[in-house]
Amino acid sequence: MGGTQASGTRSGGTRSIRSGKDGRGGLGNVLSGLAVAVGFALFLGGFVWGAVVYRPYTVPTDSMMPTVKPGDRVLAQRIDGGEVRRGDVVIFTDSMWSDSPMLKRVVGIGGDTVKCCGAHGEVTVNGTALDEPYIDATKPDTGLEMPPGQTTPSGTPFEVTVPEGNLFLLGDRRAGSLDSRAHLQEAGQGTVSRSTVSARVDALAWPDMKMLERPKTYENLPGGTSRPGPLRLQVAAVLAGAVLVVLGAAYGPVVRVLGRGRRRERAGAR
């Protein structure tokens, strides 16, 4: 009889939990299942959205130091060249420069006059001196080999009016970057077409994780600076989804543990 009574107590407790009489089943199970489903959708959707909007890129050279270093992994938003603004770090491919994708910063756009150097050695755009705290202005012995008839770009005075639909590009490591200054003698005076741009760098993904800030020095120029892509929102969706999946999946085991503890308390009271 005692065994039958204990068995009946356990069966009654199980039915109570499943039927929701003690507040831990029924609606709770539905909500936990919903949390898992929503969490999985957010988690997977965030990754898929990110794969559609962004492309990974490994930095091949030191021409953009200290912003990014050789071997760094960056996330670049897939964009049309028409979306590019001054200050953007872009990935582009121009056959006159290289057959491989390159990474440089946009300093001038169509109609701009880009000049070096100002009163204190700075680059100017339409007469406005740029404040560029992100650059490496050191002048080491780089040993750069220039094409015939071209001079080392570091410290070379120039003045270029950028053709409409083109971009003037510089590396952040000014003394060691083969950029628009190295192609001043070519058609377009070292500028490249907007159509060569395939992506804009939004963030450093490895070895550090951080967003690339838009330089404030370009904000007051016509057109201003570009807005960051949806990367932060995508990361938030992935993290929120992971949390919901964990919480929803943990609901069942937690309820079972609590149920067993309460049943032991009741048995001890009797």
PDB file of all heavy atoms in Angstrom, residues 186-200:
ATOM      1  N   GLU A 186      49.643  59.076 -64.522  1.00  0.00           N
ATOM      2  CA  GLU A 186      48.728  58.299 -65.354  1.00  0.00           C
ATOM      3  C   GLU A 186      47.453  59.097 -65.629  1.00  0.00           C
ATOM      4  O   GLU A 186      47.214  60.145 -65.030  1.00  0.00           O
ATOM      5  CB  GLU A 186      48.379  56.977 -64.654  1.00  0.00           C
ATOM      6  CG  GLU A 186      49.598  56.091 -64.402  1.00  0.00           C
ATOM      7  CD  GLU A 186      49.273  54.896 -63.533  1.00  0.00           C
ATOM      8  OE1 GLU A 186      48.076  54.718 -63.200  1.00  0.00           O
ATOM      9  OE2 GLU A 186      50.203  54.143 -63.180  1.00  0.00           O
ATOM     10  N   ALA A 187      46.637  58.586 -66.522  1.00  0.00           N
ATOM     11  CA  ALA A 187      45.349  59.225 -66.814  1.00  0.00           C
ATOM     12  C   ALA A 187      44.520  59.275 -65.541  1.00  0.00           C
ATOM     13  O   ALA A 187      44.436  58.300 -64.800  1.00  0.00           O
ATOM     14  CB  ALA A 187      44.615  58.435 -67.890  1.00  0.00           C
ATOM     15  N   GLY A 188      43.918  60.449 -65.272  1.00  0.00           N
ATOM     16  CA  GLY A 188      43.138  60.604 -64.059  1.00  0.00           C
ATOM     17  C   GLY A 188      43.964  61.034 -62.882  1.00  0.00           C
ATOM     18  O   GLY A 188      43.441  61.188 -61.772  1.00  0.00           O
ATOM     19  N   GLN A 189      45.284  61.231 -63.073  1.00  0.00           N
ATOM     20  CA  GLN A 189      46.191  61.691 -62.018  1.00  0.00           C
ATOM     21  C   GLN A 189      46.096  60.845 -60.737  1.00  0.00           C
ATOM     22  O   GLN A 189      46.017  61.363 -59.622  1.00  0.00           O
ATOM     23  CB  GLN A 189      45.934  63.162 -61.685  1.00  0.00           C
ATOM     24  CG  GLN A 189      46.315  64.131 -62.788  1.00  0.00           C
ATOM     25  CD  GLN A 189      46.144  65.570 -62.347  1.00  0.00           C
ATOM     26  OE1 GLN A 189      45.035  66.090 -62.367  1.00  0.00           O
ATOM     27  NE2 GLN A 189      47.239  66.196 -61.938  1.00  0.00           N
ATOM     28  N   GLY A 190      46.089  59.556 -60.914  1.00  0.00           N
ATOM     29  CA  GLY A 190      46.099  58.659 -59.771  1.00  0.00           C
ATOM     30  C   GLY A 190      44.740  58.347 -59.180  1.00  0.00           C
ATOM     31  O   GLY A 190      44.655  57.609 -58.197  1.00  0.00           O
ATOM     32  N   THR A 191      43.679  58.894 -59.746  1.00  0.00           N
ATOM     33  CA  THR A 191      42.342  58.602 -59.227  1.00  0.00           C
ATOM     34  C   THR A 191      41.809  57.312 -59.831  1.00  0.00           C
ATOM     35  O   THR A 191      42.267  56.864 -60.887  1.00  0.00           O
ATOM     36  CB  THR A 191      41.366  59.752 -59.525  1.00  0.00           C
ATOM     37  OG1 THR A 191      41.226  59.900 -60.957  1.00  0.00           O
ATOM     38  CG2 THR A 191      41.883  61.065 -58.944  1.00  0.00           C
ATOM     39  N   VAL A 192      40.844  56.718 -59.165  1.00  0.00           N
ATOM     40  CA  VAL A 192      40.215  55.499 -59.673  1.00  0.00           C
ATOM     41  C   VAL A 192      38.703  55.713 -59.753  1.00  0.00           C
ATOM     42  O   VAL A 192      38.140  56.545 -59.036  1.00  0.00           O
ATOM     43  CB  VAL A 192      40.518  54.270 -58.782  1.00  0.00           C
ATOM     44  CG1 VAL A 192      42.010  54.023 -58.693  1.00  0.00           C
ATOM     45  CG2 VAL A 192      39.932  54.448 -57.393  1.00  0.00           C
ATOM     46  N   SER A 193      38.058  54.963 -60.612  1.00  0.00           N
ATOM     47  CA  SER A 193      36.614  55.080 -60.778  1.00  0.00           C
ATOM     48  C   SER A 193      35.884  54.517 -59.561  1.00  0.00           C
ATOM     49  O   SER A 193      36.329  53.542 -58.939  1.00  0.00           O
ATOM     50  CB  SER A 193      36.178  54.329 -62.032  1.00  0.00           C
ATOM     51  OG  SER A 193      34.768  54.257 -62.116  1.00  0.00           O
ATOM     52  N   ARG A 194      34.761  55.131 -59.224  1.00  0.00           N
ATOM     53  CA  ARG A 194      33.924  54.595 -58.145  1.00  0.00           C
ATOM     54  C   ARG A 194      33.503  53.157 -58.430  1.00  0.00           C
ATOM     55  O   ARG A 194      33.275  52.376 -57.498  1.00  0.00           O
ATOM     56  CB  ARG A 194      32.675  55.464 -57.975  1.00  0.00           C
ATOM     57  CG  ARG A 194      32.902  56.791 -57.257  1.00  0.00           C
ATOM     58  CD  ARG A 194      31.595  57.566 -57.157  1.00  0.00           C
ATOM     59  NE  ARG A 194      31.724  58.811 -56.403  1.00  0.00           N
ATOM     60  CZ  ARG A 194      31.544  58.930 -55.090  1.00  0.00           C
ATOM     61  NH1 ARG A 194      31.237  57.857 -54.378  1.00  0.00           N
ATOM     62  NH2 ARG A 194      31.665  60.089 -54.474  1.00  0.00           N
ATOM     63  N   SER A 195      33.378  52.808 -59.700  1.00  0.00           N
ATOM     64  CA  SER A 195      32.913  51.465 -60.061  1.00  0.00           C
ATOM     65  C   SER A 195      33.892  50.377 -59.673  1.00  0.00           C
ATOM     66  O   SER A 195      33.543  49.192 -59.662  1.00  0.00           O
ATOM     67  CB  SER A 195      32.643  51.391 -61.567  1.00  0.00           C
ATOM     68  OG  SER A 195      33.839  51.599 -62.307  1.00  0.00           O
ATOM     69  N   THR A 196      35.145  50.761 -59.340  1.00  0.00           N
ATOM     70  CA  THR A 196      36.130  49.749 -58.932  1.00  0.00           C
ATOM     71  C   THR A 196      35.945  49.313 -57.483  1.00  0.00           C
ATOM     72  O   THR A 196      36.518  48.314 -57.055  1.00  0.00           O
ATOM     73  CB  THR A 196      37.566  50.291 -59.093  1.00  0.00           C
ATOM     74  OG1 THR A 196      37.754  51.401 -58.214  1.00  0.00           O
ATOM     75  CG2 THR A 196      37.823  50.735 -60.531  1.00  0.00           C
ATOM     76  N   VAL A 197      35.144  50.076 -56.729  1.00  0.00           N
ATOM     77  CA  VAL A 197      34.947  49.782 -55.305  1.00  0.00           C
ATOM     78  C   VAL A 197      33.913  48.674 -55.135  1.00  0.00           C
ATOM     79  O   VAL A 197      32.834  48.719 -55.719  1.00  0.00           O
ATOM     80  CB  VAL A 197      34.493  51.046 -54.546  1.00  0.00           C
ATOM     81  CG1 VAL A 197      34.168  50.708 -53.089  1.00  0.00           C
ATOM     82  CG2 VAL A 197      35.578  52.121 -54.604  1.00  0.00           C
ATOM     83  N   SER A 198      34.252  47.690 -54.306  1.00  0.00           N
ATOM     84  CA  SER A 198      33.333  46.572 -54.051  1.00  0.00           C
ATOM     85  C   SER A 198      32.825  46.531 -52.618  1.00  0.00           C
ATOM     86  O   SER A 198      31.796  45.921 -52.345  1.00  0.00           O
ATOM     87  CB  SER A 198      34.014  45.246 -54.374  1.00  0.00           C
ATOM     88  OG  SER A 198      35.179  45.079 -53.570  1.00  0.00           O
ATOM     89  N   ALA A 199      33.546  47.178 -51.697  1.00  0.00           N
ATOM     90  CA  ALA A 199      33.146  47.091 -50.285  1.00  0.00           C
ATOM     91  C   ALA A 199      33.788  48.214 -49.480  1.00  0.00           C
ATOM     92  O   ALA A 199      34.794  48.797 -49.892  1.00  0.00           O
ATOM     93  CB  ALA A 199      33.530  45.727 -49.694  1.00  0.00           C
ATOM     94  N   ARG A 200      33.194  48.496 -48.327  1.00  0.00           N
ATOM     95  CA  ARG A 200      33.698  49.508 -47.398  1.00  0.00           C
ATOM     96  C   ARG A 200      33.925  48.849 -46.036  1.00  0.00           C
ATOM     97  O   ARG A 200      33.036  48.183 -45.496  1.00  0.00           O
ATOM     98  CB  ARG A 200      32.685  50.647 -47.268  1.00  0.00           C
ATOM     99  CG  ARG A 200      33.032  51.681 -46.202  1.00  0.00           C
ATOM    100  CD  ARG A 200      32.066  52.851 -46.236  1.00  0.00           C
ATOM    101  NE  ARG A 200      30.684  52.426 -46.104  1.00  0.00           N
ATOM    102  CZ  ARG A 200      29.653  53.005 -46.717  1.00  0.00           C
ATOM    103  NH1 ARG A 200      29.846  54.030 -47.517  1.00  0.00           N
ATOM    104  NH2 ARG A 200      28.435  52.555 -46.533  1.00  0.00           N
TER     105      ARG A 200
END
